[in-house]
Amino acid sequence: LSLCMYLCVRVYVHCAYTGDSEGRAFFWEWAHPFKVARTIKAHDGVCIGVQWHPLESSKVATCGWDGLIKYWD
């Protein structure tokens, strides 16, 4: 069982994203809300935050209880 730790919605990117208790980041597109568009195994342990770059929609930052901040492209 995995718990959702964080939920954010970016309207202009048409996407929602979450971090979970198993260190993953999930991305959903509005057009297909019940289908995960992408999953990243971002951290060892909890992925507590996910945030899109405000100007470059292909870049995402994640942070976890492992003490790391990671930048994804």
Side-chain angles (χ1 to χ4, degrees):
L1 176 64
S2 175
L3 300 174
C4 175
M5 301 306 293
Y6 181 85
L7 173 65
C8 188
V9 176
R10 296 301 289 252
V11 176
Y12 66 88
V13 188
H14 304 289
C15 192
Y17 45 95
T18 63
D20 80 348
S21 61
E22 295 181 13
R24 297 172 295 194
F26 295 92
F27 302 85
W28 288 271
E29 293 180 25
W30 285 125
H32 307 284
F34 298 104
K35 180 181 176 191
V36 176
R38 184 171 182 197
T39 304
I40 299 172
K41 175 60 175 150
H43 295 275
D44 294 327
V46 175
C47 178
I48 195 66
V50 182
Q51 187 63 51
W52 236 287
H53 190 285
L55 301 176
E56 298 181 52
S57 62
S58 66
K59 295 179 174 31
V60 175
T62 61
C63 59
W65 284 358
D66 56 8
L68 299 175
I69 298 171
K70 297 183 179 181
Y71 192 57
W72 306 86
D73 190 3

